[in-house]
Amino acid sequence: MSMIPRKDLLDIASLTNEEIEFVLANAVPFKDLFKRSVKKVPTLKGQTVLTLFYEPSTRTRSSFEVAANRLSADVTHFDIESSSVVKGESVLDTVETLESMRVDYIVVRHKQSGIPGFIAKNTRASVINAGDGWHAHPTQALLDAFTLREKFKDLRGARALIVGDIQHSRVARSTSLIFRRLGMHVAYLAPGSIMPRETPPEIPRFGNWDDAFAWKPDVIYLLRVQSERMDEPFFPSASEYHKNYGLTDARVEVLKERGLWLMHPGPVNRGVEITDQGMNYEKSLINQQVENGIAVRMSVLYWLKPGAIES
Amino acid sequence: MSMIPRKDLLDIASLTNEEIEFVLANAVPFKDLFKRSVKKVPTLKGQTVLTLFYEPSTRTRSSFEVAANRLSADVTHFDIESSSVVKGESVLDTVETLESMRVDYIVVRHKQSGIPGFIAKNTRASVINAGDGWHAHPTQALLDAFTLREKFKDLRGARALIVGDIQHSRVARSTSLIFRRLGMHVAYLAPGSIMPRETPPEIPRFGNWDDAFAWKPDVIYLLRVQSERMDEPFFPSASEYHKNYGLTDARVEVLKERGLWLMHPGPVNRGVEITDQGMNYEKSLINQQVENGIAVRMSVLYWLKPGAIES
Amino acid sequence: MSMIPRKDLLDIASLTNEEIEFVLANAVPFKDLFKRSVKKVPTLKGQTVLTLFYEPSTRTRSSFEVAANRLSADVTHFDIESSSVVKGESVLDTVETLESMRVDYIVVRHKQSGIPGFIAKNTRASVINAGDGWHAHPTQALLDAFTLREKFKDLRGARALIVGDIQHSRVARSTSLIFRRLGMHVAYLAPGSIMPRETPPEIPRFGNWDDAFAWKPDVIYLLRVQSERMDEPFFPSASEYHKNYGLTDARVEVLKERGLWLMHPGPVNRGVEITDQGMNYEKSLINQQVENGIAVRMSVLYWLKPGAIES
């Protein structure tokens, strides 16, 4: 059982089961460190982790920064908002600059799918995709899986209902994939206009909560509504979305009765995806997702090997 | 003499005399470290200090950052300018995120009074108020007191005149309080429109410098004029403010003759609160306030105990 | 051979040959560290390096930050974009604040020539000029020289052609100077409107590539076209610039035939200074310039002595 050293984490699809298992298993001792008040380990001492965010994201960036600090790495921000990208400077030129600076890890977010993979091909640094367009957000998926594994003895057969803008969500894509790789059943609930045209036949698609609840989910995974999408014609208004697809207080009651787990990648739009009362639901795992994000990202940084040859 | 462990620093009013004494006394050896060229101590190694600034402030943020670095803590910025606060995401949701990330200290600035206290109730992290609305700016008050204690054998009976926009100043509020707690006499000089309606009867209120000088102050503490307030009807123009309430060259002469100390929380608006010549006044403590800010903030970080139960 | 301790690096002109040699020579072992996978040395442990950028620059700032981290210094950003400079707060007041915070190094960029020198006079901290107006960019010059010294056994007699907006370029100024100090010959190629009126008589000035190539350069050093300058009447359009002064594919062929080295301070405007094909030219040193920037900046930080008296 020797894994091939892996340089990059680009998506869930390219991971072997063994690799998923490795990352999830090693996140456990990293999480335990904090319980034992060990705040910092010297694992990545002297290594440079660079964040390259073409889209701003305080939460994800901070989560990686704290994870890297706890491994004793140095963190540098090289963030380039889309609006200020220097005309004529390609992503490739930026990557060659970073490659020349010999950074060890590049954590990248970009609105265009595939950019992290393109970067990975052009650097010896380990590239971690922190979200690219509609494509993938693999560390979110890994932390989601880790969080559920703390609650289920065996994930096989567990049923997750993913709710919201499936079509445009990299979270939906990556998290669905890892849930299914771990033996779970996945279903989608979304307005027809933002339900993908083609989905795997094993994934049931629902248009309303009654049908979705009848599928008997164990976990409700709400996607974040992107407010900038609210203006688009195929998207209902915030209040209409809430009424039809949000977790209203009445629906929270169903969760309570059945004891279902609740997840959301954050930040929540209160009153849209979920009500205030829903945020206080005792089986909500939202804060545990954030907490586990640190340990899982530590595990990913620990696992990847800068300079490894991709097979 | 055992102090109850304290989790948060929210304002001066809630501190015991013993706690004020503890913070001021411990700032002395922290300041001495630099004189002895010891640049860094391992006190907070592995601890995470997070800055959460809803209002930008390069100076205060940097002062906390340098203080934390010198205690070997890791510093992460999670700054959210008011303009970009995600609609629908409450402060509570942000705090729950930070709580889940298990940061140890949250240094918070917000334009609304009371937000740091609200945050403190919802996290195990130690919360330090770096300025909330008109309410409080306790580390400024502590560094002001520390700076004067270096000049006066005994602060009891010393007289400080605070000048400017008393009404809207959290600095005025916190610094007045600590000065009086340490046995000083405090008076206010301000245009009537920005003098608070109600002040403690022990604090004389003056409308012009002649009356104020007649009170025989030992220390002149100028408040910063907020330029955004210049447009408001109850505020004179910058030049009128300077003429009536600023430290003109003629008034600097009075300070010189009497040997009075001069303070200002910075940054100074030259030509408004004070002239260029006033900035060169030899008994100005403005730069010493900045320098002492590092040692006092180190002392505060050292004193607070993340996770302590508030009594 | 004892050098006088130097506090600041403001420009190339004020350096002795011995100092230039010291910085270039010490950059070699710093570069070697990485080859030997030593990522970090404790040289500046506990020292504070503060960046004070009045103009944004992700690349230069990151290069200094990584260099400082690798010397185990703490890095704090105190960046003030021109637009947000507080009205009434002078550079001097900011410097007095930093001086009071007892930072050890200030890395400063400002659009106005001479500001770093002004700052240096008012602080005990070591000031490193990271670019001031049209004046100087000495660490760029040092890394350029270092990069060429890796390629030439002896720089004396080597010939560098500098191409572009000579008039407004601090890079042209500093890099010309160091090249000539190291015994190289330098020539300029530029549109007449942006060729300086007065240049040293030893520097030939060309108006077209044919004449410039006839001078038999060994190194082609392209300057970055500042896009904001494109609107000015004395500057040709981007496409006209490219046609007349850029490195077209035909001119790249000349470089190939003759085996000339190619340099650029970055970031490149593809299609303006250079074509895509030119970027792939095998004797391009552009990425090596970036890489060497880290080692050279480490060497500069190592060399300067905060608190030293300037002679």
Side-chain angles (χ1 to χ4, degrees):
Chain A
M1 181 178 134
S2 64
M3 291 192 304
I4 294 166
R6 172 78 74 162
K7 182 169 86 70
D8 309 301
L9 173 60
L10 301 177
D11 54 31
I12 295 298
S14 58
L15 300 185
T16 65
N17 288 348
E18 192 186 358
E19 288 173 324
I20 291 173
E21 192 55 43
F22 183 89
V23 172
L24 297 180
N26 278 293
V28 175
F30 283 125
K31 184 170 179 182
D32 281 348
L33 284 177
F34 307 121
K35 293 192 188 145
R36 293 189 289 119
S37 296
V38 178
K39 292 295 194 116
K40 206 162 179 169
V41 289
T43 313
L44 295 190
K45 187 157 180 73
Q47 306 269 308
T48 300
V49 174
L50 185 140
T51 65
L52 178 64
F53 275 49
Y54 289 87
E55 292 184 323
S57 165
T58 304
R59 283 160 172 257
T60 302
R61 210 185 71 163
S62 295
S63 180
F64 274 106
E65 185 170 2
V66 171
N69 280 336
R70 286 183 176 163
L71 293 167
S72 301
D74 291 313
V75 181
T76 302
H77 301 302
F78 198 97
D79 299 340
I80 305 178
E81 287 188 37
S82 312
S83 59
S84 69
V85 171
V86 181
K87 202 176 160 182
E89 183 182 3
S90 67
V91 171
L92 180 57
D93 292 342
T94 300
V95 172
E96 289 190 344
T97 295
L98 302 182
E99 172 67 7
S100 300
M101 287 169 66
R102 294 182 180 264
V103 302
D104 301 291
Y105 296 84
I106 300 174
V107 177
V108 63
R109 169 167 288 193
H110 199 286
K111 69 180 171 194
Q112 196 178 326
S113 300
I115 293 286
F118 172 79
I119 291 174
K121 283 199 180 66
N122 288 284
T123 176
R124 286 165 298 186
S126 281
V127 173
I128 301 173
N129 181 359
D132 62 330
W134 305 352
H135 171 229
H137 194 353
T139 59
Q140 178 71 45
L142 287 160
L143 74 88
D144 290 336
F146 182 90
T147 302
L148 279 187
R149 293 232 297 198
E150 293 187 315
K151 300 300 173 188
F152 286 77
K153 269 192 187 167
D154 189 345
L155 280 181
R156 281 175 298 180
R159 300 163 82 85
L161 176 71
I162 301 183
V163 183
D165 186 357
I166 311 287
Q167 170 78 15
H168 305 104
S169 171
R170 54 198 176 209
V171 174
R173 219 166 305 274
S174 287
T175 295
S176 291
L177 214 51
I178 201 167
F179 282 176
R180 293 169 65 219
R181 287 282 288 281
L182 295 171
M184 293 175 64
H185 301 291
V186 170
Y188 293 151
L189 165 59
S193 57
I194 51 179
M195 179 71 86
R197 293 287 154 258
E198 293 184 28
T199 51
E202 313 85 57
I203 300 183
R205 299 146 52 118
F206 302 113
N208 63 69
W209 277 96
D210 286 345
D211 292 349
F213 277 138
W215 181 69
K216 297 194 184 302
D218 302 300
V219 180
I220 308 296
Y221 194 110
L222 304 178
L223 298 172
R224 176 172 163 77
V225 168
Q226 307 293 330
S227 56
E228 64 273 23
R229 202 147 281 151
M230 280 300 180
D231 295 333
E232 300 182 19
F234 54 75
F235 206 92
S237 71
S239 64
E240 191 190 335
Y241 181 90
H242 180 67
K243 188 174 150 230
N244 291 321
Y245 303 98
L247 208 59
T248 58
D249 286 344
R251 290 174 192 134
V252 171
E253 287 305 311
V254 178
L255 270 63
K256 276 187 194 169
E257 280 164 27
R258 299 191 187 182
L260 309 187
W261 297 107
L262 174 63
M263 302 178 84
H264 188 296
V268 168
N269 295 298
R270 286 177 179 238
V272 185
E273 296 104 71
I274 190 167
T275 59
D276 283 344
Q277 192 181 330
M279 288 298 282
N280 298 325
Y281 176 49
E282 65 173 2
K283 292 187 84 176
S284 163
L285 299 172
I286 298 174
N287 292 330
Q288 288 168 57
Q289 288 172 280
V290 175
E291 179 179 353
N292 292 332
I294 308 279
V296 166
R297 287 175 177 122
M298 288 176 76
S299 185
V300 167
L301 287 162
Y302 169 72
W303 162 54
L304 295 176
K305 293 284 168 276
I309 310 291
E310 290 292 278
S311 58
Chain B
M1 181 178 135
S2 63
M3 290 192 305
I4 294 166
R6 172 80 73 162
K7 182 169 85 73
D8 309 301
L9 174 59
L10 301 176
D11 53 31
I12 295 298
S14 57
L15 299 185
T16 65
N17 288 348
E18 192 186 358
E19 288 172 324
I20 291 173
E21 193 54 43
F22 182 88
V23 171
L24 296 180
N26 277 293
V28 175
F30 283 125
K31 184 170 179 182
D32 281 348
L33 284 177
F34 307 121
K35 293 194 188 144
R36 293 190 287 119
S37 296
V38 177
K39 293 295 193 116
K40 205 163 181 168
V41 290
T43 313
L44 295 190
K45 189 156 178 72
Q47 306 269 308
T48 299
V49 175
L50 185 139
T51 66
L52 177 65
F53 274 49
Y54 289 87
E55 291 184 324
S57 166
T58 304
R59 283 160 171 258
T60 303
R61 211 185 71 163
S62 295
S63 179
F64 274 106
E65 184 170 2
V66 170
N69 281 334
R70 287 185 176 161
L71 293 167
S72 301
D74 292 312
V75 181
T76 302
H77 301 302
F78 197 96
D79 299 341
I80 305 178
E81 288 189 33
S82 312
S83 60
S84 69
V85 171
V86 182
K87 203 176 160 183
E89 183 183 3
S90 66
V91 171
L92 180 58
D93 292 341
T94 300
V95 173
E96 289 190 345
T97 296
L98 302 181
E99 171 67 7
S100 299
M101 288 169 65
R102 292 180 180 266
V103 302
D104 302 291
Y105 296 83
I106 300 175
V107 177
V108 64
R109 170 167 289 193
H110 198 287
K111 69 180 169 194
Q112 197 179 326
S113 301
I115 293 285
F118 173 78
I119 292 174
K121 282 200 182 65
N122 287 284
T123 176
R124 286 165 299 187
S126 280
V127 173
I128 301 173
N129 181 0
D132 63 330
W134 307 351
H135 172 229
H137 193 353
T139 59
Q140 179 71 46
L142 287 159
L143 72 89
D144 290 337
F146 182 90
T147 301
L148 278 187
R149 292 232 296 196
E150 292 188 316
K151 300 300 173 189
F152 286 76
K153 269 192 187 165
D154 188 345
L155 281 180
R156 282 175 298 180
R159 299 163 82 85
L161 176 71
I162 302 183
V163 183
D165 186 357
I166 311 287
Q167 170 79 16
H168 305 103
S169 171
R170 55 198 176 209
V171 173
R173 218 166 306 274
S174 287
T175 294
S176 292
L177 213 50
I178 200 167
F179 282 177
R180 293 170 63 220
R181 287 283 288 280
L182 295 170
M184 293 176 65
H185 300 291
V186 171
Y188 293 152
L189 166 59
S193 57
I194 51 181
M195 178 72 85
R197 293 287 154 256
E198 292 184 26
T199 50
E202 312 85 59
I203 300 184
R205 299 146 52 119
F206 303 112
N208 63 69
W209 278 97
D210 287 345
D211 292 348
F213 277 139
W215 181 69
K216 299 195 184 303
D218 302 299
V219 180
I220 308 297
Y221 193 110
L222 304 178
L223 298 173
R224 174 171 165 77
V225 167
Q226 307 292 331
S227 56
E228 63 273 23
R229 203 148 281 152
M230 281 299 182
D231 295 333
E232 301 183 17
F234 55 76
F235 207 92
S237 72
S239 63
E240 191 190 335
Y241 182 91
H242 180 68
K243 188 175 151 228
N244 292 321
Y245 304 97
L247 208 58
T248 58
D249 286 345
R251 289 174 191 135
V252 172
E253 288 306 312
V254 178
L255 269 63
K256 276 187 196 168
E257 280 164 28
R258 300 193 186 179
L260 308 187
W261 299 106
L262 175 63
M263 303 180 83
H264 188 295
V268 168
N269 296 296
R270 285 177 179 238
V272 185
E273 296 103 74
I274 190 167
T275 59
D276 284 344
Q277 193 181 328
M279 287 299 281
N280 298 324
Y281 176 50
E282 65 173 2
K283 292 188 82 174
S284 164
L285 299 172
I286 298 175
N287 293 330
Q288 287 168 58
Q289 288 172 279
V290 176
E291 178 179 353
N292 292 333
I294 309 280
V296 167
R297 287 175 176 122
M298 289 176 75
S299 185
V300 167
L301 287 163
Y302 169 72
W303 162 54
L304 296 175
K305 295 284 167 277
I309 310 291
E310 290 293 277
S311 57
Chain C
M1 180 178 135
S2 62
M3 291 193 305
I4 294 165
R6 172 80 74 163
K7 182 169 86 71
D8 309 300
L9 173 59
L10 301 177
D11 54 31
I12 295 299
S14 58
L15 299 185
T16 65
N17 288 350
E18 191 187 357
E19 289 173 322
I20 292 173
E21 193 54 44
F22 183 89
V23 172
L24 297 180
N26 277 294
V28 175
F30 283 125
K31 184 170 179 183
D32 280 349
L33 285 177
F34 307 122
K35 294 193 187 144
R36 293 189 288 120
S37 295
V38 178
K39 293 295 192 117
K40 205 162 180 169
V41 290
T43 313
L44 296 189
K45 187 156 179 73
Q47 306 270 307
T48 300
V49 175
L50 184 139
T51 66
L52 178 64
F53 274 49
Y54 289 86
E55 293 183 322
S57 166
T58 304
R59 283 162 173 257
T60 301
R61 210 185 72 163
S62 294
S63 179
F64 274 105
E65 184 170 2
V66 170
N69 280 335
R70 286 184 177 162
L71 293 167
S72 301
D74 292 313
V75 181
T76 301
H77 302 301
F78 198 95
D79 299 340
I80 304 179
E81 288 189 34
S82 311
S83 59
S84 69
V85 171
V86 182
K87 202 176 160 184
E89 183 182 4
S90 68
V91 171
L92 180 57
D93 292 342
T94 300
V95 172
E96 290 190 344
T97 295
L98 303 181
E99 173 66 7
S100 300
M101 288 168 67
R102 294 181 179 265
V103 302
D104 301 290
Y105 296 84
I106 300 175
V107 178
V108 64
R109 170 166 289 192
H110 199 287
K111 69 181 171 194
Q112 196 179 326
S113 301
I115 294 286
F118 172 78
I119 291 174
K121 281 199 182 67
N122 288 284
T123 177
R124 286 165 297 186
S126 281
V127 173
I128 301 173
N129 181 0
D132 62 330
W134 306 351
H135 171 230
H137 193 352
T139 59
Q140 179 71 45
L142 287 160
L143 73 88
D144 290 337
F146 182 90
T147 301
L148 279 187
R149 292 233 297 196
E150 292 188 316
K151 300 301 172 188
F152 286 76
K153 269 193 187 163
D154 188 345
L155 280 181
R156 281 175 298 179
R159 299 162 82 84
L161 175 72
I162 302 183
V163 183
D165 185 358
I166 311 288
Q167 170 77 16
H168 305 103
S169 171
R170 55 197 175 209
V171 174
R173 218 166 305 275
S174 286
T175 294
S176 292
L177 213 52
I178 201 167
F179 283 176
R180 293 170 64 218
R181 287 283 289 279
L182 295 170
M184 292 176 64
H185 300 292
V186 170
Y188 294 152
L189 165 59
S193 58
I194 52 179
M195 179 72 87
R197 293 287 154 257
E198 292 184 28
T199 51
E202 313 85 57
I203 300 184
R205 298 145 52 119
F206 303 112
N208 63 69
W209 277 97
D210 287 344
D211 292 348
F213 277 138
W215 181 70
K216 298 196 184 304
D218 301 299
V219 180
I220 307 297
Y221 194 110
L222 304 178
L223 298 172
R224 174 170 165 76
V225 168
Q226 307 293 331
S227 56
E228 63 274 23
R229 201 147 281 151
M230 281 298 181
D231 295 332
E232 300 182 16
F234 55 75
F235 207 91
S237 72
S239 64
E240 191 190 334
Y241 181 91
H242 180 67
K243 188 174 150 230
N244 292 321
Y245 303 98
L247 208 59
T248 58
D249 286 344
R251 290 174 191 135
V252 172
E253 287 306 311
V254 179
L255 268 64
K256 277 187 194 167
E257 280 164 28
R258 299 191 186 181
L260 309 187
W261 297 107
L262 174 63
M263 302 179 85
H264 188 295
V268 168
N269 295 297
R270 286 176 180 239
V272 185
E273 297 104 72
I274 191 167
T275 59
D276 284 344
Q277 193 180 329
M279 287 298 281
N280 297 325
Y281 175 51
E282 65 173 1
K283 292 187 82 175
S284 162
L285 299 172
I286 297 173
N287 292 331
Q288 287 168 58
Q289 289 172 278
V290 175
E291 179 179 354
N292 293 333
I294 308 279
V296 166
R297 288 177 176 120
M298 289 175 76
S299 184
V300 167
L301 287 163
Y302 169 71
W303 162 54
L304 296 175
K305 294 285 168 278
I309 310 291
E310 289 293 276
S311 57

